[in-house]
Amino acid sequence: MKVLLTGGLGYIGSHTAVELIENGFEIDVMDNLYNSSEDVVEKLKQITGKQVKFHKIDLLDMDSMDKMFSEGKYDAVIHFAGLKAVGESTQKPLMYYENNITGTINLLKCMEKYNVNNIIFSSSACVYSDKNVAPFTEDAILNPINPYGRTKYFIEEIIKDYCFANKNFKAVILRYFNPIGAHESGLIGENPNGIPNNLMPYITRVAFGKLKELSVFGNDYDTPDGTGVRDYIHVVDLARGHLAALNKINSFEGYKIYNLGTGHGYSVLDVVNTFNKVCGNKVKYKIVDRRPGDAACVFASPEKALNELGFKTTKELEEMCLSSYNFEKNNK
Ligand code: NAD
Ligand code: UFG
């Protein structure tokens, strides 16, 4: 099976590329390098021993997209490419809608033209309403509260409509919870530009003295220690979820939606304390006000992915923290 990975040099795409290559899939990777680096192509070769074919193409550049599809003969696409910074999306909503939604429509048009009928799409837990009570099942109420989250919600709807119109077309929509961690080689991982918004990259930068201390956003939530609770999933487990989805795609019609999470919630202080335990007390923190828009407690019901995809996570919080630390150490 030949698979195109859009956004395949990014954090989740690169880890999925490794899993696919190691499981015998032929892959091409496309990315516009907006939030990634071409060095990752070499890193993938170092990890897998295989040279990956890379197309530096923007989803919005229809001529280049068309050319890639005309030559590629793909059986499936895993669609990671997109902008993902929640805060930036509230400042630049049109950029987010154009990149993520128009980009996806361009991709679907190419898939239609070249008769590529299988897609796996990177959606997010942020499509759920924070009024749901965890664990969140796939049929929980949807109500994204920022433009980034709405792009994910709208794309899910577009994919569903297209599946209805084209009976040959099949989609697996994966709603990721909070991916952290890095490949055991320490060669690929999450490396955001500027000051990180997300918890783990902030922690690893504090650990190496690049940032002074972590601000914990609120300790007055209705959670066991008062800090926010999330479902952290190791990125290598998450990558394996895409493999499970690809293996499933020939066995149903239309679309399927799955959460990819562990089913366990950890608080901000659980993460900081675990990180300090396995990586040597490097992270100081202070409690500050809540961050606007944050929910108290979000974690997945992983049952549907387990029952239908046979997907189960294998890696614990300690391993997530240690691998994140090792990646940051390698990239100092
Ligand atoms: P990432 O930014 O590391 O990877 C996305 C890649 O897409 C980047 O390499 C970027 O350069 C590329 N890209 C963006 N716009 C493009 C365009 N127009 N044309 C071509 N390439 C483009 O992000 P990630 O963490 O690997 O996330 C992958 C996907 O998963 C995204 O769609 C994201 O919204 C979704 N997601 C991520 C998280 C998370 O916490 N990391 C959670 C839920 C969902
Ligand atoms: N947090 C801090 N300090 C920080 C950063 C985060 O205390 O410096 C806290 C947050 O308040 C939250 C937890 O750590 O309680 C996790 O925050 P992240 O920013 O790492 O993750 P979010 O759950 O807010 O959101 C992430 C992605 C979204 C995605 C969602 C899926 O940013 O794009 O996970 O669940 F949709």
Side-chain angles (χ1 to χ4, degrees):
M1 193 186 229
K2 187 171 179 190
V3 187
L4 173 70
L5 277 60
T6 75
L9 295 188
Y11 173 47
I12 303 168
S14 58
H15 288 82
T16 305
V18 170
E19 292 304 306
L20 293 183
I21 295 167
E22 288 181 342
N23 284 277
F25 288 84
E26 189 185 349
I27 65 164
D28 273 14
V29 163
M30 71 80 84
D31 202 301
N32 67 356
L33 303 181
Y34 180 84
N35 196 35
S36 52
S37 150
E38 200 166 343
D39 299 349
V40 172
V41 177
E42 185 51 35
K43 305 275 171 67
L44 293 176
K45 188 174 176 192
Q46 279 177 257
I47 295 170
T48 64
K50 299 258 164 62
Q51 182 68 45
V52 171
K53 182 155 188 191
F54 169 56
H55 305 266
K56 183 179 179 304
I57 290 178
D58 194 305
L59 289 171
L60 299 177
D61 173 358
M62 226 7 193
D63 291 342
S64 303
M65 290 280 286
D66 189 288
K67 184 164 182 295
M68 177 177 66
F69 270 87
S70 71
E71 296 166 355
K73 307 221 173 350
Y74 303 117
D75 301 299
V77 175
I78 309 185
H79 180 31
F80 299 101
L83 301 175
K84 63 164 186 176
V86 171
E88 185 183 54
S89 79
T90 62
Q91 303 303 315
K92 298 178 179 169
L94 300 183
M95 182 168 107
Y96 272 67
Y97 287 124
E98 180 173 39
N99 190 76
N100 292 4
I101 296 180
T102 308
T104 302
I105 292 172
N106 286 352
L107 175 67
L108 293 172
K109 282 182 180 167
C110 289
M111 292 178 74
E112 178 170 66
K113 182 168 171 189
Y114 292 99
N115 205 24
V116 183
N117 284 319
N118 301 306
I119 193 168
I120 294 172
F121 171 60
S122 301
S123 189
S124 166
C126 67
V127 297
Y128 291 119
S129 164
D130 59 11
K131 303 285 181 291
N132 295 300
V133 176
F136 290 19
T137 56
E138 287 79 355
D139 55 8
I141 298 164
L142 304 182
N143 185 26
I145 58 166
N146 51 62
Y148 164 70
R150 280 188 279 275
T151 69
K152 294 294 172 190
Y153 170 76
F154 293 144
I155 293 168
E156 286 195 4
E157 295 300 305
I158 290 166
I159 289 175
K160 289 183 199 171
D161 285 341
Y162 186 62
C163 283
F164 182 78
N166 177 354
K167 297 296 180 210
N168 294 321
F169 195 80
K170 291 189 272 194
V172 181
I173 292 168
L174 298 176
R175 293 181 180 151
Y176 309 154
F177 280 68
N178 289 53
I180 58 171
H183 190 261
E184 60 180 4
S185 63
L187 290 170
I188 52 173
E190 189 174 17
N191 195 10
N193 293 327
I195 297 178
N197 296 305
N198 296 117
L199 181 63
M200 186 53 82
Y202 205 104
I203 287 179
T204 56
R205 288 187 188 185
V206 173
F208 285 96
K210 292 180 191 167
L211 294 167
K212 194 165 146 265
E213 65 184 342
L214 173 73
S215 295
V216 174
F217 298 140
N219 66 350
D220 56 353
Y221 286 105
D222 184 15
T223 61
D225 65 19
T227 65
V229 167
R230 295 291 182 275
D231 187 336
Y232 298 95
I233 174 170
H234 196 298
V235 67
V236 172
D237 275 335
L238 188 73
R240 287 177 38 252
H242 298 76
L243 207 65
L246 270 181
N247 289 333
K248 170 83 182 177
I249 209 157
N250 284 322
S251 66
F252 67 89
E253 292 186 349
Y255 66 88
K256 294 275 186 182
I257 301 178
Y258 299 103
N259 288 335
L260 290 184
T262 65
H264 302 293
Y266 289 103
S267 74
V268 178
L269 292 183
D270 289 334
V271 177
V272 175
N273 293 335
T274 305
F275 188 93
N276 278 337
K277 190 176 98 193
V278 296
C279 306
N281 285 324
K282 293 187 165 65
V283 176
K284 293 198 178 64
Y285 66 87
K286 65 177 178 202
I287 307 291
V288 302
D289 288 347
R290 291 180 178 196
R291 181 170 68 178
D294 274 354
C297 179
V298 177
F299 61 93
S301 164
E303 300 298 321
K304 190 176 173 196
L306 175 63
N307 294 337
E308 297 186 16
L309 299 179
F311 173 72
K312 196 172 181 334
T313 57
T314 59
K315 294 176 186 298
E316 302 295 333
L317 188 57
E318 278 86 356
E319 201 173 342
M320 302 183 208
C321 291
L322 196 55
S323 61
S324 298
Y325 174 81
N326 284 335
F327 174 70
E328 187 73 32
K329 189 167 71 181
N330 275 355
N331 288 278
K332 265 195 303 184

